[in-house]
Amino acid sequence: MIEISNLHKSYRMGANTLHVLKGINFSVADGELVSIMGSSGSGKSTLLNILGMLDEADEGSYVLDGVTIKNLSEKQAAKYRNKFLGFIFQSFNLIGYKSALDNVALPLYYQGHSRSERMDRAMSYLEKVGLADWAGHLPNELSGGQKQRVAIARALASDPKVLLADEPTGALDTKTSYEVMDLIQEINDEGRTILVVTHEHDIAQMTKRIVHLKDGVIIEDTKVSQVRAFENV
Amino acid sequence: MFDLDRWNEIFETIRKNKLRTFLTGLSVASGIFILVVLLGIGEGMRNGISREFEQDASNLIFVWPGVTSKEYKGLNPGRRIQLKNDDYNRILLENSDKLDKTSSTYQVWSSVVSYGKESGSYRMDGVFPDYQYLENMSLTAGRFINNNDVEHVEKSIVIGYQVKKDLFREEDPIGKYVELSGINFKVVGVFTDPGGEREEARVVIPITTAQKALGGSNNIGRLYLTLKPEDNFEAAVAASTAFSEDLGEFLRERHTIAPDDNRAININNTLEHAKRFYGLMDMIRLFFWGVGVCTIIAGVVGVSNIMLIIVKERTREIGIRKALGAQPLSIVGMILHESIFVTAIAGFIGLIFSLTLLEFIGPAIETQFIYNPTVNFTVALNTVFILVLAGALAGFFPAWRAARIKPIIALRDE
Ligand SMILES: Nc1ncnc2c1ncn2[C@@H]1O[C@H](COP(=O)(O)OP(=O)(O)OP(=O)(O)O)[C@@H](O)[C@H]1O
Ligand SMILES: [Mg+2]
C-alpha cells in the first residue's frame, strides 16, 4: 500500500537548515495498523504529513497504492488526498460553523456527490461512530472524544485507502483515548490501512506494528501482539 | 455559478458568520449610498441653477443705455444716451435672418394704477407681444398684449399677479378698467413671472400706447432680443457673443460713442452668463464625482481589507478543506463567490436606500440652490457593478494566495 525509500526532508530556518528526516525506508502492507513512535521533534508528524501529501519530501520516492507521488500539482494532490487518504488530527480540525453531519459530508462534497447522497453517507458514518444523535450539533457542543469520533467519521467518509492519524488521542483522557482506539481497531478490522502517530506506549500496543523514529531515522520496526482497546475501557 | 451546492455552502457561511458579512456589507452599502446621494445633490444643484436661469429666456440679449464715460468726436463725456424707435427698427431690418423674438420697451419705473378705491404704485412697461416670451411670463387669465393692441394703440393692460391681488383681491379683473396716469386701461390679462413677487408687481401695456399717451414720443428704454436657435449650446453661445458685439458696435456708431466706451451701451448676454454658471456647475459636479469616486475607493479598500481578514481568519479552514480534497480553484471560487454575493446584495441595498431617500426627501428640499435632486439610474447601477467587480478583484488576490498555501502551513495556523 505504502512504499517509501530514502526519504529526506529538511526545513530551512534562516541561515541554518534542520535535517528532520534522514533517509526513511519503510513500507506498509494493505490492512496494517501501524503506530509511529519517537520523542518530540523526531520527525513523526513530518513523516505523516509527507505520506498525506500535505507536505513534500526533498528527496526519495513515495509510492501510494501503486501511484508514484512526485511533483504533484496542487490540483492532483487535492484529488489524491480526497481519493486515497483520510486524516485524523490531534486537534480534530473540524470546521466550527458546520454541524457534525456537514463536517462529515465535506469530503463527499469535494468528491462531487449529490447532496442527498452526501447526507445519507455522512449519516451512516456518524452512526458507525455512535454519534447519529449528535448530527445537528456544532463541534463546540461536543466533548473531545465526540469531536474526534466525528473527525474519524469524516476521515472515513470518502472511503480512503489509508487513514493517517497524528496523535488522535493526544488531547483526550485515558478512557476516551481507549474508546477512540477501539473505534480505530474496529475500522482496521474491516481491512483499512491505518497509521497512527503517538507518544503513548499503551496506545502503540493497541496497534499491530510499532515503528520507532529517532533523529530522523527508523531505529526499530517491530510487530506487536495487539491489545484490544475495549478490554481496557 | 448555478451550482446549488456552492450556493448552499455560501448561505451557510454567511449565516454562520453574520458579523463578518454585516461589516463587508456595511462598507459597500454606505459607499454606494454616499456616492448616489452626492450625485443626487450635484444634480439637484445643477437643476437649481438651471431654474434660476429659467426666469428669462435663456438666450436673451438685453440692451440698456447709460451715460458716456469718454470724450469722442468733440462730444463731452457724461452724455445720457437715449435709444429711439429708429434704432430698434434698423436692428430688426438688418438682422431679420438672425433674430427670433424681439421687443423694445418703454418703461415708467413708478406709476400709480388704481381701481375703484384701491391703488398702488407699480412699474409700467410698454412692450411688443414677444415680450411675454422674452420675460418668460405666463398668463393666469386672459391674454397678453397682441399685435392689434400695438398697431391700434389700444388702451389694453396686462397686470401682474401681485397687482391683481392688491387691486382686485378675489374679483375677476378681466374686462375691468383701471386708471393709469389718468387714462383708463382695460385689463386683458394677468401674468405670473418665475422671477417672483417683485416681477409680478408690474403692469404691461402696448409700447405704442406707452409712447403716445405717457409722453414717451419715440424714445425706448430697453431692447430685448433672442437669436434663432442653434444646433448646440456652444454654437448658441458663439452666435450670441458675436451678435452682442456687432450690436454694440452698431449702436455706438449710431450714437457717436467711443468704440471702447462700454458704459454708454450696456449689453447683457444671458447665454454667456449661463455658460459661466454651467461651467461652475460642471466643476461642482466633477467635485462631487471626485468625492464619490473616493468614497467608492474607500469602499473597495474596505472590502479588500475585510477580504484579507476573512481569508486570514479562514486559513485553517482552508487547510482543512484542502486536506479533505478541495482543489485550489474551488477555494478561490468559494471565497470570491461569497464576496461577490455579499457586495452585490449590499450594493443594491445601498442603492435602494439612497434612491428612496432622493425620491422621498428630494422633492421636499426647497432651497434656492438645490432643486429636484435625482440620479441617473444607469450610472448608479454601473457604480454597483464596478464596486462588485472591485470587491471581487480585491478578494481574488488574498483568496488566490490562500488557495496556494501548503495545507500543512494552513493547518498550523492558529
Ligand atoms: N514548517 C517547519 N519549519 C521549520 N521547522 C519545522 C517545521 N515543521 C517541523 N519542524 C521541525 O522539525 C522537527 C520535527 O518536527 P515534527 O513535527 O515532525 O516532530 P514530531 O516528531 O511530530 O514531534 P511531536 O511529538 O512534538 O509532535 C522539529 O524540530 C520541528 O521543530
Ligand atoms: Mg507531531
Side-chain angles (χ1 to χ4, degrees):
Chain A
M1 180 57 64
I2 291 174
E3 299 277 339
I4 54 174
S5 63
N6 197 29
L7 205 70
H8 285 264
K9 178 71 183 178
S10 317
Y11 289 113
R12 188 159 293 120
M13 316 217 304
N16 9 351
T17 54
L18 183 66
H19 204 166
V20 180
L21 298 182
K22 305 168 179 168
I24 306 274
N25 295 292
F26 140 86
S27 59
V28 179
D30 217 352
E32 275 198 277
L33 173 53
V34 182
S35 56
I36 299 169
M37 291 197 73
S39 56
S40 188
S42 56
K44 304 182 297 289
S45 297
T46 306
L47 176 60
L48 204 73
N49 289 334
I50 290 170
L51 293 177
M53 292 178 242
L54 298 173
D55 205 350
E56 270 179 83
D58 300 329
E59 213 187 303
S61 79
Y62 170 25
V63 177
L64 173 63
D65 197 34
V67 180
T68 305
I69 308 300
K70 185 133 189 120
N71 296 330
L72 293 183
S73 71
E74 271 287 345
K75 211 174 143 179
Q76 273 172 313
K79 208 173 112 196
Y80 288 159
R81 277 198 292 270
N82 188 255
K83 200 165 129 193
F84 291 134
L85 302 167
F87 293 93
I88 302 162
F89 303 93
Q90 179 178 357
S91 51
F92 321 124
N93 276 337
L94 298 175
I95 293 178
Y97 61 83
K98 283 181 176 289
S99 68
L101 186 68
D102 286 336
N103 264 287
V104 175
L106 200 56
L108 298 168
Y109 172 66
Y110 290 117
Q111 278 186 344
H113 293 291
S114 73
R115 185 174 172 80
S116 61
E117 192 182 343
R118 294 202 303 265
M119 290 305 137
D120 280 356
R121 290 216 346 217
M123 201 59 202
S124 73
Y125 282 108
L126 271 184
E127 268 163 26
K128 190 181 172 70
V129 300
L131 287 176
D133 294 343
W134 298 84
H137 287 254
L138 291 177
N140 62 12
E141 296 162 353
L142 302 175
S143 73
Q146 287 173 326
K147 280 187 217 178
Q148 197 58 296
R149 283 192 286 170
V150 172
I152 291 170
R154 184 179 67 184
L156 286 174
S158 58
D159 193 20
K161 304 255 189 245
V162 178
L163 279 192
L164 300 172
D166 194 349
E167 305 196 31
T169 61
L172 306 175
D173 62 29
T174 310
K175 186 171 173 293
T176 324
S177 295
Y178 288 1
E179 283 167 4
V180 166
M181 280 314 291
D182 184 40
L183 185 60
I184 287 177
Q185 284 178 339
E186 243 177 69
I187 294 161
N188 175 247
D189 290 343
E190 291 164 10
R192 207 175 302 272
T193 314
I194 306 178
L195 271 71
V196 182
V197 166
T198 184
H199 269 123
E200 296 149 84
H201 283 282
D202 52 342
I203 298 294
Q205 292 302 324
M206 292 174 182
T207 64
K208 293 173 176 170
R209 175 182 164 195
I210 303 177
V211 172
H212 218 101
L213 223 60
K214 193 178 179 191
D215 294 332
V217 290
I218 294 175
I219 53 162
E220 210 187 322
D221 187 343
T222 50
K223 300 254 191 255
V224 292
S225 56
Q226 189 181 34
V227 175
R228 295 304 294 198
F230 71 89
E231 291 164 5
N232 296 288
V233 172
Chain B
M1 211 44 182
F2 296 104
D3 181 351
L4 200 65
D5 285 325
R6 174 68 73 65
W7 281 109
N8 263 328
E9 189 83 334
I10 281 158
F11 286 133
E12 190 170 57
T13 25
I14 288 174
R15 216 170 29 242
K16 301 285 167 57
N17 299 284
K18 292 197 183 77
L19 182 67
R20 179 176 86 197
T21 310
F22 175 74
L23 288 178
T24 321
L26 190 69
S27 102
V28 172
S30 54
I32 292 286
F33 182 83
I34 291 168
L35 176 82
V36 171
V37 168
L38 277 180
L39 291 184
I41 291 174
E43 190 63 29
M45 287 181 81
R46 198 184 158 85
N47 289 344
I49 301 242
S50 302
R51 193 174 59 161
E52 290 291 296
F53 278 99
E54 280 166 15
Q55 287 184 13
D56 299 314
S58 63
N59 57 346
L60 180 70
I61 296 168
F62 164 52
V63 183
W64 74 102
V67 176
T68 56
S69 60
K70 292 187 174 150
E71 194 221 299
Y72 187 61
K73 291 192 177 167
L75 293 169
N76 285 332
R79 183 165 51 97
R80 179 164 293 279
I81 301 300
Q82 178 63 59
L83 297 180
K84 300 282 183 183
N85 281 347
D86 263 1
D87 294 319
Y88 178 65
N89 294 336
R90 280 291 297 277
I91 290 167
L92 290 199
L93 207 64
E94 287 180 18
N95 300 289
S96 57
D97 53 332
K98 292 182 194 153
L99 290 170
D100 188 16
K101 306 268 188 237
T102 62
S103 174
S104 60
T105 66
Y106 173 80
Q107 51 270 116
V108 175
W109 293 105
S110 172
S111 45
V112 174
V113 181
S114 51
Y115 173 70
K117 272 184 271 173
E118 306 292 339
S119 75
S121 176
Y122 305 101
R123 169 178 158 189
M124 184 284 297
D125 290 87
V127 304
F128 282 99
D130 278 355
Y131 189 77
Q132 182 191 350
Y133 304 101
L134 293 162
E135 280 279 43
N136 225 354
M137 292 168 161
S138 21
L139 293 167
T140 58
R143 61 168 179 86
F144 201 71
I145 303 298
N146 60 22
N147 281 322
N148 186 59
D149 293 326
V150 174
E151 256 169 57
H152 296 105
V153 200
E154 294 290 349
K155 294 187 188 68
S156 309
I157 188 166
V158 181
I159 61 175
Y161 188 69
Q162 187 62 36
V163 180
K164 184 253 167 192
K165 277 202 294 192
D166 292 348
L167 301 185
F168 290 90
R169 301 180 199 269
E170 297 308 313
E171 206 178 319
D172 178 14
I174 305 296
K176 309 273 162 49
Y177 286 86
V178 293
E179 198 185 293
L180 170 66
S181 298
I183 300 163
N184 280 328
F185 282 81
K186 184 181 182 181
V187 178
V188 295
V190 179
F191 72 84
T192 59
D193 188 302
E197 237 168 61
R198 200 170 52 88
E199 294 284 297
E200 287 171 0
R202 295 164 52 190
V203 297
V204 173
I205 62 173
I207 185 164
T208 45
T209 317
Q211 288 177 333
K212 202 170 236 163
L214 302 176
S217 70
N218 60 351
N219 290 344
I220 56 182
R222 293 169 169 191
L223 297 178
Y224 292 78
L225 312 162
T226 63
L227 299 182
K228 295 208 166 103
E230 297 284 341
D231 290 339
N232 58 56
F233 188 71
E234 288 303 317
V237 172
S240 167
T241 308
F243 183 82
S244 302
E245 262 165 38
D246 290 350
L247 186 66
E249 209 169 291
F250 170 79
L251 287 174
R252 279 190 280 272
E253 197 179 311
R254 262 177 87 82
H255 292 270
T256 329
I257 302 165
D260 57 347
D261 188 349
N262 288 325
R263 301 245 193 105
I265 299 289
N266 301 286
I267 299 178
N268 186 327
N269 181 347
T270 315
L271 263 189
E272 227 167 334
H273 281 271
K275 191 185 168 184
R276 238 180 282 154
F277 266 99
Y278 281 117
L280 179 68
M281 271 322 300
D282 286 341
M283 284 297 292
I284 292 174
R285 279 224 298 192
L286 206 65
F287 173 74
F288 277 131
W289 263 106
V291 174
V293 167
C294 288
T295 316
I296 290 294
I297 289 173
V300 169
V301 170
V303 170
S304 17
N305 273 336
I306 292 164
M307 290 305 296
L308 273 171
I309 293 168
I310 287 175
V311 168
K312 185 92 195 72
E313 203 177 70
R314 294 179 79 172
T315 303
R316 195 182 175 85
E317 181 195 333
I318 289 168
I320 297 169
R321 285 174 182 270
K322 292 187 84 171
L324 297 180
Q327 306 211 334
L329 263 183
S330 101
I331 301 283
V332 175
M334 174 179 81
I335 291 171
L336 278 194
H337 199 158
E338 185 186 327
S339 101
I340 291 173
F341 179 71
V342 171
T343 36
I345 295 289
F348 283 114
I349 289 175
L351 188 65
I352 289 166
F353 264 99
S354 47
L355 289 180
T356 315
L357 185 80
L358 289 181
E359 189 67 26
F360 287 102
I361 308 293
I365 296 175
E366 266 308 331
T367 77
Q368 198 172 1
F369 300 109
I370 301 177
Y371 172 68
N372 191 22
T374 53
V375 82
N376 185 327
F377 187 70
T378 325
V379 170
L381 209 60
N382 283 338
T383 324
V384 174
F385 280 122
I386 289 171
L387 196 71
V388 169
L389 211 68
L393 214 63
F396 179 80
F397 292 104
W400 182 245
R401 224 191 47 199
R404 299 199 44 107
I405 353 177
K406 280 195 196 160
I408 183 64
I409 292 171
L411 278 172
R412 203 176 291 139
D413 187 84
E414 283 309 325

